[in-house]
Every structure is written in C-alpha cells, then in structure tokens.
Amino acid sequence: ARGAGATNHIGTAGEYGWTEVQRTDAGRDDPLLAALPDRFPILQWHSDTFTLPPGAVHLATSPTAAVQAFRYGRAGYATQFHFEANRAVATDWSREFAEAFEVARPGWIADFDTHAAKDAAAADAHGLAIARAWVKLI
C-alpha cells in the first residue's frame, strides 16, 4: 500500500484470529471477491493498517481496519487479511506465536478450538474461493 502512495498507521489496528470482513460495493462486483458473501470471516494477524492508495479501488473493510482489500490498476490486489492462511496455518501460528497472540488478544489461545469451530471452516472456504478467483484472473 505504501509503495502505491498510501500512508501506513503503525500499531493502530490490531486484529488477530478470525474476524468479519465486509465487501464494499466495488468488492461485490470485483472478480476477486464476487463469489463471497457480503460479510465473511477470514484470518487476521496484524497491528498495523494503511490508507487507501490514490487511484485504488476499495474492495473490503472492517470496523478495525477500514481498508481490508483493494485493487490497484487492472490487476494489482492487496489484502490486509490472510486469505492464504487456513485452519492448519492458524493452528501452527497459535502454537509458534502463543505468547504474542496472548498479548495481542488475551484468552484467544485458550479458546482456540471454540473460535475454530465457529469460523475456521467458513474462513478456509472463503480463502480458497479468493485463491481460485485470483488464479482464474491470471
């Protein structure tokens, strides 16, 4: 985002675990996100965020990080969320970075199985849909 002219905001938008993201009107029509529901859970792991770069198309948002996805030009895409990280990756991260996760979102590691049961399968399906849409575009 910064390379395209956006401003980074360091440490202002912590999202960890599966959180809900909402498509914008442009996101509903964009081939990358068109197959997703308007609101969908997806894995997050960040404390920073950024503004929308000049000329970019805003595709998705959340209450914590306003710019969750954008398209830059015809085929440049960026996501704040980790669509590539499925439940297995989240499980590995929760073990490998347990201390950092606990500081960022207290109690989440202890309740990992509850969170996973609620959102992981849907998030995995949404991530796969995004990946397939991206491959189709290229």
Coordinates of all heavy atoms in Angstrom, one line a residue, residues 13-82:
A13 N -4.3 -0.8 14.6 CA -5.5 -1.6 14.1 C -5.2 -3.1 14.4 O -5.1 -3.9 13.4 CB -5.7 -1.3 12.7
G14 N -5.2 -3.5 15.6 CA -4.9 -4.9 15.9 C -6.1 -5.8 15.6 O -7.2 -5.5 16.1
E15 N -5.9 -6.8 14.8 CA -6.9 -7.8 14.5 C -6.2 -9.1 14.5 O -5.2 -9.3 13.8 CB -7.6 -7.6 13.2 CG -8.5 -6.4 13.1 CD -9.1 -6.2 11.7 OE1 -8.4 -6.1 10.7 OE2 -10.4 -6.2 11.7
Y16 N -6.6 -10.0 15.4 CA -6.0 -11.3 15.5 C -7.0 -12.4 15.6 O -8.0 -12.3 16.3 CB -5.1 -11.4 16.8 CG -4.0 -10.3 16.7 CD1 -4.2 -9.1 17.2 CD2 -2.8 -10.7 16.1 CE1 -3.2 -8.1 17.2 CE2 -1.8 -9.7 16.1 CZ -2.0 -8.4 16.6 OH -1.0 -7.5 16.5
G17 N -6.8 -13.5 14.8 CA -7.8 -14.5 14.8 C -8.8 -14.3 13.6 O -8.6 -13.5 12.7
W18 N -9.9 -15.1 13.7 CA -10.9 -14.9 12.6 C -11.8 -13.8 12.9 O -12.3 -13.7 14.0 CB -11.7 -16.2 12.5 CG -10.9 -17.4 12.0 CD1 -10.5 -17.6 10.7 CD2 -10.3 -18.4 12.7 NE1 -9.7 -18.7 10.6 CE2 -9.6 -19.3 11.8 CE3 -10.3 -18.8 14.1 CZ2 -8.9 -20.4 12.2 CZ3 -9.6 -19.9 14.5 CH2 -8.9 -20.7 13.6
T19 N -11.9 -12.8 12.0 CA -12.7 -11.7 12.2 C -13.6 -11.5 10.9 O -13.3 -12.0 9.9 CB -11.9 -10.4 12.5 OG1 -11.1 -10.1 11.3 CG2 -11.0 -10.5 13.7
E20 N -14.6 -10.7 11.1 CA -15.5 -10.5 10.0 C -15.1 -9.3 9.1 O -14.7 -8.3 9.6 CB -16.9 -10.2 10.5 CG -18.0 -10.2 9.4 CD -19.4 -10.1 9.9 OE1 -19.8 -9.0 10.2 OE2 -20.0 -11.1 10.0
V21 N -15.1 -9.5 7.8 CA -14.8 -8.5 6.8 C -16.0 -8.3 6.0 O -16.8 -9.2 5.7 CB -13.6 -9.0 6.0 CG1 -13.3 -8.1 4.8 CG2 -12.3 -9.0 6.8
Q22 N -16.2 -7.1 5.5 CA -17.4 -6.8 4.6 C -16.9 -6.2 3.3 O -16.0 -5.4 3.2 CB -18.3 -5.7 5.3 CG -19.5 -5.4 4.5 CD -20.4 -4.5 5.2 OE1 -20.3 -4.2 6.4 NE2 -21.4 -4.0 4.5
R23 N -17.5 -6.8 2.2 CA -17.2 -6.2 0.9 C -17.8 -4.9 0.7 O -18.9 -4.6 1.3 CB -17.8 -7.2 -0.2 CG -17.2 -8.5 -0.3 CD -17.7 -9.4 -1.4 NE -19.2 -9.4 -1.3 CZ -20.0 -9.9 -2.3 NH1 -19.4 -10.3 -3.4 NH2 -21.3 -9.9 -2.2
T24 N -17.1 -4.0 0.0 CA -17.7 -2.7 -0.4 C -18.6 -3.0 -1.7 O -18.6 -4.1 -2.2 CB -16.6 -1.7 -0.8 OG1 -15.9 -2.2 -1.9 CG2 -15.7 -1.5 0.4
D25 N -19.2 -1.9 -2.2 CA -20.0 -2.1 -3.4 C -19.1 -2.5 -4.5 O -19.4 -3.4 -5.3 CB -20.7 -0.7 -3.8 CG -21.8 -0.4 -2.8 OD1 -22.4 -1.4 -2.2 OD2 -22.3 0.7 -2.8
A26 N -17.9 -1.9 -4.6 CA -16.9 -2.3 -5.6 C -16.5 -3.7 -5.5 O -16.2 -4.4 -6.4 CB -15.7 -1.3 -5.6
G27 N -16.3 -4.2 -4.2 CA -15.9 -5.6 -3.9 C -17.0 -6.6 -4.4 O -16.6 -7.7 -4.8
R28 N -18.2 -6.2 -4.4 CA -19.3 -7.1 -4.8 C -19.1 -7.4 -6.3 O -19.5 -8.4 -6.8 CB -20.7 -6.5 -4.5 CG -21.0 -6.5 -3.1 CD -22.4 -5.9 -2.8 NE -22.6 -5.7 -1.4 CZ -22.4 -4.6 -0.8 NH1 -22.0 -3.5 -1.5 NH2 -22.5 -4.5 0.5
D29 N -18.6 -6.4 -7.0 CA -18.5 -6.5 -8.5 C -17.1 -6.9 -9.0 O -16.9 -7.2 -10.1 CB -18.9 -5.2 -9.2 CG -20.3 -4.8 -9.0 OD1 -21.2 -5.7 -8.8 OD2 -20.6 -3.6 -8.9
D30 N -16.2 -7.0 -8.1 CA -14.8 -7.3 -8.4 C -14.6 -8.8 -8.6 O -15.1 -9.6 -7.7 CB -13.8 -6.8 -7.4 CG -12.4 -6.9 -7.9 OD1 -11.9 -6.0 -8.6 OD2 -11.8 -8.0 -7.7
P31 N -14.0 -9.3 -9.6 CA -13.8 -10.8 -9.8 C -13.1 -11.5 -8.6 O -13.4 -12.7 -8.4 CB -13.1 -10.9 -11.1 CG -12.6 -9.6 -11.4 CD -13.3 -8.6 -10.7
L32 N -12.3 -10.8 -7.9 CA -11.6 -11.5 -6.8 C -12.5 -11.8 -5.6 O -12.4 -12.9 -5.0 CB -10.5 -10.6 -6.3 CG -9.5 -11.3 -5.4 CD1 -8.6 -12.3 -6.1 CD2 -8.6 -10.3 -4.6
L33 N -13.5 -10.9 -5.3 CA -14.4 -11.1 -4.2 C -15.8 -11.4 -4.5 O -16.6 -11.6 -3.6 CB -14.3 -9.9 -3.3 CG -12.9 -9.5 -2.7 CD1 -13.0 -8.3 -1.8 CD2 -12.3 -10.6 -2.0
A34 N -16.2 -11.4 -5.8 CA -17.5 -11.5 -6.2 C -18.3 -12.8 -5.7 O -19.5 -12.7 -5.4 CB -17.6 -11.4 -7.7
A35 N -17.6 -13.9 -5.5 CA -18.2 -15.1 -5.1 C -18.4 -15.2 -3.6 O -19.0 -16.1 -3.1 CB -17.3 -16.3 -5.6
L36 N -17.9 -14.2 -2.8 CA -18.0 -14.3 -1.4 C -19.3 -13.6 -0.9 O -19.9 -12.8 -1.6 CB -16.8 -13.5 -0.8 CG -15.5 -14.1 -1.1 CD1 -14.4 -13.2 -0.4 CD2 -15.3 -15.5 -0.7
P37 N -19.8 -14.0 0.3 CA -20.9 -13.3 0.9 C -20.5 -11.8 1.2 O -19.3 -11.5 1.3 CB -21.2 -14.1 2.1 CG -20.0 -14.9 2.4 CD -19.3 -15.1 1.2
D38 N -21.5 -11.0 1.4 CA -21.1 -9.6 1.8 C -20.3 -9.5 3.0 O -19.4 -8.6 3.1 CB -22.4 -8.7 1.9 CG -22.9 -8.2 0.6 OD1 -22.2 -8.3 -0.4 OD2 -24.1 -7.8 0.6
R39 N -20.6 -10.3 4.0 CA -19.8 -10.4 5.2 C -19.2 -11.8 5.4 O -20.0 -12.7 5.2 CB -20.6 -10.0 6.5 CG -21.1 -8.6 6.5 CD -22.0 -8.4 7.7 NE -22.6 -7.1 7.7 CZ -22.0 -6.0 8.3 NH1 -20.9 -6.1 8.9 NH2 -22.6 -4.8 8.2
F40 N -17.9 -11.9 5.7 CA -17.3 -13.2 5.8 C -16.2 -13.2 6.8 O -15.5 -12.2 7.0 CB -16.8 -13.7 4.4 CG -15.8 -12.7 3.8 CD1 -14.4 -13.0 3.9 CD2 -16.2 -11.7 3.0 CE1 -13.5 -12.2 3.4 CE2 -15.2 -10.8 2.4 CZ -13.9 -11.1 2.6
P41 N -16.0 -14.3 7.5 CA -14.9 -14.5 8.4 C -13.6 -14.8 7.7 O -13.7 -15.6 6.7 CB -15.3 -15.6 9.4 CG -16.2 -16.5 8.5 CD -16.9 -15.5 7.6
I42 N -12.5 -14.3 8.1 CA -11.2 -14.6 7.5 C -10.2 -14.4 8.6 O -10.4 -13.6 9.5 CB -11.0 -13.7 6.2 CG1 -10.0 -14.3 5.3 CG2 -10.7 -12.3 6.6 CD1 -10.5 -15.4 4.4
L43 N -9.0 -15.0 8.4 CA -8.0 -14.9 9.4 C -7.2 -13.6 9.3 O -6.9 -13.1 8.2 CB -7.0 -16.1 9.3 CG -6.0 -16.2 10.4 CD1 -6.7 -16.7 11.7 CD2 -4.9 -17.2 10.1
Q44 N -7.0 -13.0 10.5 CA -6.2 -11.7 10.6 C -5.0 -11.9 11.5 O -5.1 -12.7 12.5 CB -7.1 -10.6 11.2 CG -8.4 -10.4 10.4 CD -8.3 -9.3 9.3 OE1 -7.2 -8.9 9.0 NE2 -9.4 -9.0 8.8
W45 N -4.0 -11.2 11.3 CA -2.8 -11.2 12.2 C -2.0 -10.0 11.9 O -1.1 -9.9 11.1 CB -2.0 -12.5 11.9 CG -0.7 -12.5 12.8 CD1 0.4 -11.8 12.7 CD2 -0.6 -13.3 14.0 NE1 1.3 -12.1 13.7 CE2 0.7 -13.0 14.5 CE3 -1.3 -14.2 14.7 CZ2 1.2 -13.6 15.6 CZ3 -0.8 -14.8 15.8 CH2 0.4 -14.5 16.3
H46 N -2.5 -8.9 12.5 CA -1.8 -7.6 12.2 C -2.1 -6.6 13.3 O -3.2 -6.6 13.9 CB -2.1 -7.0 10.8 CG -3.6 -6.7 10.7 ND1 -4.1 -5.4 11.1 CD2 -4.6 -7.4 10.3 CE1 -5.4 -5.4 10.9 NE2 -5.8 -6.6 10.4
S47 N -1.2 -5.6 13.5 CA -1.5 -4.5 14.4 C -1.4 -3.2 13.6 O -1.8 -2.1 14.1 CB -0.5 -4.4 15.5 OG 0.8 -4.3 15.0
D48 N -1.0 -3.2 12.4 CA -0.8 -2.0 11.5 C -2.0 -2.0 10.5 O -2.6 -3.0 10.2 CB 0.5 -2.0 10.8 CG 1.7 -2.2 11.7 OD1 1.5 -1.8 12.9 OD2 2.7 -2.7 11.3
T49 N -2.2 -0.8 9.9 CA -3.1 -0.7 8.8 C -2.6 0.4 7.9 O -1.4 0.9 8.1 CB -4.5 -0.5 9.3 OG1 -5.4 -0.6 8.1 CG2 -4.7 0.9 9.9
F50 N -3.4 0.8 6.9 CA -2.9 1.8 5.9 C -4.1 2.5 5.3 O -5.3 2.0 5.4 CB -2.1 1.1 4.8 CG -2.7 -0.2 4.4 CD1 -3.7 -0.2 3.4 CD2 -2.3 -1.4 4.9 CE1 -4.3 -1.4 3.0 CE2 -2.9 -2.6 4.5 CZ -3.9 -2.6 3.6
T51 N -3.9 3.6 4.7 CA -5.0 4.3 4.0 C -5.1 3.7 2.6 O -4.2 2.9 2.1 CB -4.7 5.8 3.8 OG1 -3.5 6.0 3.1 CG2 -4.6 6.5 5.2
L52 N -6.2 4.0 1.9 CA -6.4 3.5 0.5 C -5.4 4.3 -0.4 O -5.4 5.6 -0.4 CB -7.8 3.7 0.1 CG -8.2 3.2 -1.3 CD1 -8.2 1.7 -1.3 CD2 -9.6 3.7 -1.6
P53 N -4.6 3.7 -1.2 CA -3.7 4.4 -2.1 C -4.5 5.2 -3.1 O -5.6 4.8 -3.5 CB -2.9 3.3 -2.8 CG -3.0 2.1 -2.0 CD -4.4 2.2 -1.3
P54 N -4.0 6.4 -3.5 CA -4.7 7.2 -4.5 C -4.9 6.4 -5.8 O -4.0 5.7 -6.2 CB -3.7 8.3 -4.8 CG -2.8 8.4 -3.6 CD -2.7 7.0 -3.1
G55 N -6.1 6.4 -6.3 CA -6.5 5.7 -7.5 C -6.8 4.3 -7.3 O -7.2 3.6 -8.3
A56 N -6.7 3.7 -6.1 CA -7.0 2.3 -5.9 C -8.5 2.2 -5.7 O -9.2 3.1 -5.3 CB -6.3 1.8 -4.6
V57 N -9.0 1.0 -5.9 CA -10.4 0.6 -5.7 C -10.6 -0.1 -4.4 O -10.0 -1.2 -4.2 CB -11.0 -0.2 -6.9 CG1 -12.4 -0.6 -6.7 CG2 -10.8 0.5 -8.2
H58 N -11.4 0.4 -3.5 CA -11.6 -0.2 -2.2 C -12.6 -1.3 -2.3 O -13.7 -1.2 -2.7 CB -12.2 0.9 -1.3 CG -12.2 0.6 0.1 ND1 -13.0 1.3 1.0 CD2 -11.7 -0.4 0.9 CE1 -12.8 0.8 2.2 NE2 -12.0 -0.3 2.2
L59 N -12.1 -2.5 -1.9 CA -12.9 -3.8 -2.1 C -13.5 -4.3 -0.8 O -14.5 -5.0 -0.9 CB -12.0 -4.8 -2.8 CG -11.4 -4.5 -4.1 CD1 -10.5 -5.6 -4.6 CD2 -12.5 -4.1 -5.1
A60 N -12.9 -4.1 0.3 CA -13.4 -4.7 1.6 C -13.0 -3.9 2.8 O -11.9 -3.2 2.7 CB -12.9 -6.2 1.7
T61 N -13.7 -4.0 3.9 CA -13.5 -3.2 5.0 C -13.8 -4.0 6.3 O -14.4 -5.0 6.2 CB -14.4 -1.9 5.0 OG1 -14.0 -1.0 6.0 CG2 -15.8 -2.2 5.0
S62 N -13.4 -3.4 7.5 CA -13.8 -4.0 8.8 C -13.9 -2.8 9.7 O -13.3 -1.7 9.4 CB -12.9 -5.0 9.3 OG -11.7 -4.5 9.8
P63 N -14.5 -2.9 10.9 CA -14.6 -1.8 11.8 C -13.2 -1.4 12.3 O -13.0 -0.2 12.7 CB -15.4 -2.3 12.9 CG -16.3 -3.4 12.3 CD -15.4 -4.0 11.3
T64 N -12.2 -2.3 12.4 CA -10.9 -2.0 13.0 C -10.0 -1.5 11.9 O -9.2 -0.6 12.2 CB -10.4 -3.3 13.6 OG1 -11.3 -3.7 14.6 CG2 -9.0 -3.0 14.3
A65 N -10.0 -2.1 10.8 CA -9.0 -1.7 9.7 C -9.9 -1.4 8.4 O -10.4 -2.3 7.8 CB -8.0 -2.8 9.4
A66 N -10.1 -0.1 8.2 CA -11.0 0.3 7.1 C -10.7 -0.3 5.8 O -11.6 -0.6 5.0 CB -11.1 1.8 7.1
V67 N -9.4 -0.4 5.5 CA -9.0 -0.9 4.1 C -8.6 -2.4 4.3 O -7.4 -2.6 4.7 CB -7.9 -0.1 3.5 CG1 -7.6 -0.6 2.1 CG2 -8.4 1.4 3.4
Q68 N -9.4 -3.3 4.0 CA -9.1 -4.7 4.1 C -8.7 -5.3 2.8 O -8.0 -6.3 2.8 CB -10.3 -5.5 4.7 CG -10.6 -5.3 6.1 CD -9.6 -6.1 7.0 OE1 -9.0 -7.0 6.6 NE2 -9.4 -5.6 8.2
A69 N -9.1 -4.7 1.7 CA -8.7 -5.2 0.4 C -8.8 -4.0 -0.6 O -9.7 -3.2 -0.5 CB -9.5 -6.4 0.0
F70 N -7.9 -4.0 -1.6 CA -8.0 -3.1 -2.7 C -7.4 -3.6 -3.9 O -6.6 -4.6 -3.9 CB -7.4 -1.7 -2.3 CG -5.9 -1.7 -2.1 CD1 -5.1 -1.5 -3.2 CD2 -5.4 -1.7 -0.9 CE1 -3.7 -1.4 -3.1 CE2 -4.0 -1.7 -0.7 CZ -3.2 -1.5 -1.8
R71 N -7.9 -3.0 -5.0 CA -7.3 -3.3 -6.4 C -6.6 -2.1 -6.8 O -7.1 -1.0 -6.7 CB -8.3 -3.7 -7.4 CG -7.7 -4.2 -8.7 CD -8.8 -4.5 -9.8 NE -9.5 -3.3 -10.2 CZ -10.8 -3.1 -10.0 NH1 -11.6 -3.9 -9.4 NH2 -11.3 -1.9 -10.4
Y72 N -5.4 -2.2 -7.3 CA -4.6 -1.1 -7.8 C -4.4 -1.3 -9.3 O -3.7 -2.3 -9.7 CB -3.3 -1.0 -7.1 CG -2.6 0.3 -7.3 CD1 -3.0 1.5 -6.8 CD2 -1.4 0.3 -8.1 CE1 -2.3 2.7 -7.0 CE2 -0.7 1.5 -8.4 CZ -1.2 2.6 -7.8 OH -0.5 3.8 -8.1
G73 N -4.9 -0.5 -10.2 CA -4.8 -0.7 -11.6 C -5.7 -1.9 -12.0 O -6.7 -2.2 -11.3
R74 N -5.4 -2.5 -13.1 CA -6.2 -3.6 -13.6 C -6.1 -4.9 -12.8 O -7.1 -5.6 -12.6 CB -5.9 -3.9 -15.1 CG -6.7 -4.9 -15.8 CD -6.2 -5.3 -17.1 NE -4.9 -5.9 -17.1 CZ -4.7 -7.2 -16.8 NH1 -5.7 -8.0 -16.4 NH2 -3.5 -7.7 -16.8
A75 N -4.9 -5.2 -12.3 CA -4.7 -6.5 -11.7 C -3.9 -6.5 -10.5 O -3.4 -7.6 -10.1 CB -4.2 -7.4 -12.8
G76 N -3.6 -5.4 -9.9 CA -2.8 -5.4 -8.6 C -3.8 -5.5 -7.5 O -4.6 -4.6 -7.3
Y77 N -3.6 -6.6 -6.6 CA -4.5 -6.8 -5.5 C -3.7 -6.8 -4.2 O -2.6 -7.2 -4.2 CB -5.3 -8.1 -5.6 CG -6.4 -8.0 -6.6 CD1 -6.2 -8.4 -7.9 CD2 -7.7 -7.6 -6.2 CE1 -7.2 -8.4 -8.8 CE2 -8.7 -7.6 -7.1 CZ -8.5 -8.0 -8.4 OH -9.5 -7.9 -9.3
A78 N -4.3 -6.3 -3.1 CA -3.8 -6.3 -1.8 C -4.8 -6.6 -0.8 O -6.0 -6.1 -0.9 CB -3.1 -5.0 -1.5
T79 N -4.5 -7.5 0.2 CA -5.4 -7.7 1.3 C -4.7 -7.5 2.6 O -3.6 -7.8 2.7 CB -6.0 -9.2 1.2 OG1 -4.9 -10.1 1.3 CG2 -6.7 -9.5 -0.1
Q80 N -5.5 -7.0 3.5 CA -5.0 -6.8 4.9 C -5.1 -8.2 5.6 O -4.2 -8.6 6.4 CB -5.8 -5.8 5.7 CG -5.5 -5.7 7.1 CD -4.3 -4.8 7.4 OE1 -4.3 -3.7 7.1 NE2 -3.2 -5.4 7.9
F81 N -6.1 -8.9 5.3 CA -6.4 -10.3 5.9 C -5.5 -11.3 5.2 O -5.0 -11.1 4.1 CB -7.8 -10.6 5.9 CG -8.5 -10.5 4.5 CD1 -8.4 -11.5 3.6 CD2 -9.2 -9.4 4.1 CE1 -8.9 -11.4 2.3 CE2 -9.8 -9.3 2.9 CZ -9.7 -10.3 2.0
H82 N -5.5 -12.5 5.9 CA -4.6 -13.6 5.4 C -5.5 -14.7 4.8 O -5.8 -15.7 5.4 CB -3.8 -14.2 6.5 CG -2.7 -13.3 6.9 ND1 -1.5 -13.2 6.2 CD2 -2.6 -12.4 7.9 CE1 -0.7 -12.3 6.8 NE2 -1.4 -11.8 7.8

